[in-house]
Amino acid sequence: MAVLTYDELKKMVNTKNHSCAVMSVRKNPDGSFGELRYCAVNEAFLDSNYALFADTISEKTERKDFKMDGELYTAFLPREPKFEDISLRCAFNGEHFHQYVDTTKMYGLWTENLLLPLAIDDDDPDIGYYELHYLLNKEMDAGKFSVVPPDLSSFVIKACLEMKQEQDFTAAMDVITKDIFEFTDSHSVAIIAVSPDLFSFEVVSNKVKNDEKDLKETFSHIPYEVIDTWEGLCGETDCVIIKDENDLNHYAKKAPQWVDTLIENDVHSLCLVPLIYQNAIIGYIFMTNFDISKINRVKEALQLMDLFIASEMATHMVMDRMEHASTLDFLSGVFNRNTMNVNVDELSTKLKLNPAPFSIVFCCLPHLKQINEANGHDEGDQLIKDAAELLKLIFHGDKVFRSCGDEFTVISTKCSKEEFEEKIEALKEEASDPDWLQFAIGYFHDPVGENLRLGLRKANEAMHAEKEKL
């Protein structure tokens, strides 16, 4: 191997017209990654990094004084376990790496990295070297992104065609999940949709080896706040990869509650790929316990799939939200009158065929008109919102409707008579403020459940009788 001085390394990188650096990698005695430094960088590399990190550089540092040679890479970038892993393998195993990475959330640009091993002698056998070349692009270059091995491209095409053949969204996601599961030979794969504006997520589809515990059950015990941490983690990279205990400890510092759930579920390797549509994360591909020797192949397969899955999911989410919005009352957030009519028709038919107990509540805001006249409609709108929130809280799991301007209706088929009466008492206690939220309440419980419309009429009559007293 050649022995090169710093000046010789500097001359070498300066012969390149694009951004280029020689990186030095230290290996720990146990073979794990130690540290990564910029050994020598050229002017193009300095220019691009100064532009990228100008906001985080001291105001006193001018371009002519900006230095990177000899600095740890973490002085400019957040620690990235995937990058450390391929740096170690490039410097010591002689492996070449070509990456085309979506770093738009970090820089607003796509990054193309090329890592080439260098045969440079060093007095310390635990230090290795490689050349880092990178280019930044404002838009994704589909030509570069699509240069993949034939077997990988065949898998992606086949899987996407199978997904497109399914008419139902859930069935399509099940097909693609199964294909990814079999191709990667992982323990589990899931496709997860997220709705940050609604503070919610959903396991759309999943596949677990030997049909063990369904991931929907596992994730049902995980709060949204844990899933919400994923966006920050993915904001530092194009995907999250955990391949060993060192990576697990790294992410434990950033998202301890999430890592606790991984340990509880015996996850020792993981790949988490964000599904991005129009620069927003709308979901994730979640994969656990795979062969880490195939990590680059797994990562490349998932990142190719995410483009197609994200498009399919985005279309479904738009249609689903449109349908959902048509059933809701815009102001209160509960179901609207049209939805109530449909539900009454359907439930009435079901009860005639299979009678079952049900409970009805009618609630009226007798002071809404006065509040609108005295304080304005903004105050009145807020009262309606407060009323709806209280009903959703007390009658959690039951269907709440805004049946007209100042009236709400609750239909329950899940409560026993005792549970229903307890909820009524709680409602009376919470909605008894004559200066703000006060309900006139009428209710009816039918232990037989043969005539829903009769029950609605009786509850409505009881509400109006109560309203006359207020």
Side-chain angles (χ1 to χ4, degrees), residues 19 22 24 36 49 87 91-92 104 121 154 190 194 203 239 247 255-256 264 287 338 349 354 359 366 383 391 434:
S19 296
V22 171
S24 65
L36 178 64
N49 280 273
S87 294
F92 288 93
T104 52
D121 201 3
S154 295
V194 294
V203 178
C239 71
D247 293 344
E264 289 169 8
M287 187 179 71
N338 288 338
T349 301
N354 298 292
S359 304
L383 175 58
L391 288 169

Side-chain angles (χ1 to χ4, degrees), residues 397-437:
D398 298 319
K399 291 192 173 181
V400 181
F401 307 89
R402 187 180 177 197
S403 44
C404 66
D406 60 356
E407 290 183 12
F408 295 86
T409 304
V410 182
I411 301 176
S412 174
T413 57
K414 301 176 182 179
C415 293
S416 66
K417 182 179 180 181
E418 292 73 21
E419 291 171 333
F420 176 64
E421 289 176 346
E422 286 177 4
K423 290 183 177 183
I424 293 295
E425 290 305 312
L427 183 61
K428 288 180 177 179
E429 183 177 345
E430 294 294 330
S432 58
D433 181 359
D435 294 323
W436 185 241
L437 179 50

Side-chain angles (χ1 to χ4, degrees), residues 48 52 101-112 135-140:
S48 61
L52 285 174
V101 184
D102 182 2
T103 50
T104 52
K105 295 186 78 66
M106 286 188 287
Y107 316 135
L109 300 164
W110 284 76
T111 302
E112 182 180 9
L135 296 171
L136 298 174
N137 304 285
K138 290 184 179 180
E139 302 292 340
M140 182 186 77

Side-chain angles (χ1 to χ4, degrees), residues 11-236:
K11 288 180 181 178
M12 183 174 71
V13 295
N14 283 335
T15 62
K16 309 295 192 298
N17 293 324
H18 56 272
S19 296
C20 179
V22 171
M23 310 296 289
S24 65
V25 187
R26 176 172 291 278
K27 180 171 61 175
N28 291 327
D30 63 358
S32 63
F33 173 87
E35 64 180 28
L36 178 64
R37 291 184 182 274
Y38 298 101
C39 189
V41 305
N42 66 5
E43 289 301 308
F45 198 97
L46 282 171
D47 285 340
S48 61
N49 280 273
Y50 184 79
L52 285 174
F53 307 120
D55 291 339
T56 60
I57 297 171
S58 168
E59 292 181 5
K60 297 179 181 179
T61 303
E62 297 181 3
R63 169 60 185 87
K64 63 183 178 63
D65 300 318
F66 179 57
K67 306 295 182 185
M68 296 183 73
D69 291 358
E71 295 287 345
L72 289 170
Y73 91 100
T74 50
F76 305 94
L77 295 167
R79 187 186 165 211
E80 173 48 74
K82 294 197 309 298
F83 185 56
E84 293 174 357
D85 177 59
I86 64 174
S87 294
L88 188 68
R89 290 161 60 187
C90 181
F92 288 93
N93 298 348
E95 297 182 46
H96 295 65
F97 292 94
H98 178 249
Q99 294 180 307
Y100 200 55
V101 184
D102 182 2
T103 50
T104 52
K105 295 186 78 66
M106 286 188 287
Y107 316 135
L109 300 164
W110 284 76
T111 302
E112 182 180 9
N113 293 325
L114 180 63
L115 286 72
L116 301 175
L118 286 174
I120 298 176
D121 201 3
D122 195 284
D123 293 336
D124 189 339
D126 291 326
I127 294 182
Y129 297 86
Y130 71 87
E131 272 188 38
L132 171 64
H133 304 257
Y134 83 81
L135 296 171
L136 298 174
N137 304 285
K138 290 184 179 180
E139 302 292 340
M140 182 186 77
D141 186 332
K144 292 177 181 177
F145 199 61
S146 61
V147 179
V148 296
D151 63 327
L152 193 56
S153 60
S154 295
F155 158 68
V156 172
I157 293 170
K158 177 178 176 292
C160 290
L161 287 174
E162 290 178 348
M163 177 179 69
K164 288 293 185 182
Q165 286 174 356
E166 296 293 337
Q167 298 298 315
D168 177 70
F169 171 73
T170 302
M173 292 299 101
D174 286 342
V175 165
I176 206 76
T177 300
K178 180 174 179 290
D179 285 341
I180 293 172
F181 172 80
E182 292 176 349
F183 184 78
T184 59
D185 192 28
S186 54
H187 179 266
S188 67
V189 175
I191 294 176
I192 300 171
V194 294
S195 300
D197 53 333
L198 302 176
F199 304 99
S200 66
F201 71 95
E202 177 190 3
V203 178
V204 176
S205 64
N206 73 100
K207 179 69 176 173
V208 183
K209 186 165 286 187
N210 300 324
D211 293 323
E212 294 174 17
K213 187 176 181 181
D214 193 297
L215 289 185
K216 290 184 179 181
E217 169 63 21
T218 301
F219 276 91
S220 68
H221 304 292
I222 298 176
Y224 170 76
E225 288 72 21
V226 171
I227 308 303
D228 193 41
T229 62
W230 293 356
E231 181 170 2
L233 299 178
C234 291
E236 299 174 355

